[in-house]
Amino acid sequence: MAVSLWRSRNASSVLNLFTNAVRRFSSEVTNTSPRSTRESMMSQMMYSDINSQIGSCMPLSVMRIGTVIHNIELNPGQGGKLVRAAGTSAKILKEPTSAYCLIQLPSGVKKLIDSRCRATVGVVSNPSHGDRKLRKAGHSRWLGRRPVVRGVAMNPVDHPHGGGEGKSKSSGRWGRGSRTPWGKPTKSGYKTGPLKRRR
């Protein structure tokens, strides 16, 4: 009898402690309004470092000097065109206060881009993409890459460089030099586009 009475008292005391904790927690939650929590979150975002916001897409005019970015637009609203390959990133060199922002591309080229253009903060993932080795010739075929055959190794019917004795590109008595498979010159500044009229 005494043991059952002691057990019932212990159970009731534990239940009272639990209910008091729940009441205290609910009163704290009801006292803090959703508006105040939203304001505190906005203030944290305002004073946080942009470099910590990896993956955020925003105009270049909002970013700071030294920010590492990728997927950069060339014209506002056009969509990302630059720095999209695996493991690449660009860097903002000057504070984007004026109409244009100076950016250093992965090649080392410095380019002025409109400050209204958007970019994503951070580096493109998978930096080890270029380090992988293809196991066999069929692996490149799985990737959709077809074999490249040199024109010198072809017959004259297949390519302008084909035929001849040895590894000669020239065909005929005077030689024609490097040509495309369709016979157009590939060197010496040959103009392939439509010629403009001189006024």
Side-chain angles (χ1 to χ4, degrees), residues 98-159:
S98 60
Y100 290 94
C101 178
L102 186 66
I103 290 173
Q104 186 174 14
L105 299 176
S107 61
V109 175
K110 296 172 184 175
K111 191 173 178 68
L112 282 171
I113 296 176
D114 196 331
S115 294
R116 295 172 297 169
C117 292
R118 298 172 75 87
T120 308
V121 180
V123 183
V124 186
S125 64
N126 198 12
S128 61
H129 174 71
D131 299 336
R132 63 175 182 174
K133 291 185 178 180
L134 304 183
R135 299 192 302 271
K136 56 181 185 176
H139 200 156
S140 61
R141 296 306 300 268
W142 300 339
L143 299 173
R145 300 173 189 160
R146 300 196 69 237
V148 178
V149 182
R150 297 167 298 131
V152 174
M154 297 182 189
N155 293 322
V157 71
D158 300 317
H159 200 279

Side-chain angles (χ1 to χ4, degrees), residues 18-77:
F18 180 71
T19 51
N20 288 336
V22 168
R23 283 176 187 162
R24 210 177 306 120
F25 177 73
S26 61
S27 65
E28 286 174 3
V29 168
T30 51
N31 289 339
T32 57
S33 64
R35 189 171 187 178
S36 64
T37 55
R38 191 184 308 122
E39 286 174 357
S40 65
M41 285 174 65
M42 290 296 289
S43 65
Q44 288 174 7
M45 288 292 288
M46 190 180 297
Y47 295 109
S48 66
D49 186 17
I50 289 179
N51 288 328
S52 66
Q53 300 176 5
I54 294 171
S56 305
C57 183
M58 57 187 80
L60 294 171
S61 56
V62 180
M63 298 182 187
R64 302 190 187 117
I65 187 170
T67 307
V68 177
I69 54 174
H70 68 275
N71 196 28
I72 308 162
E73 290 182 332
L74 279 174
N75 298 314

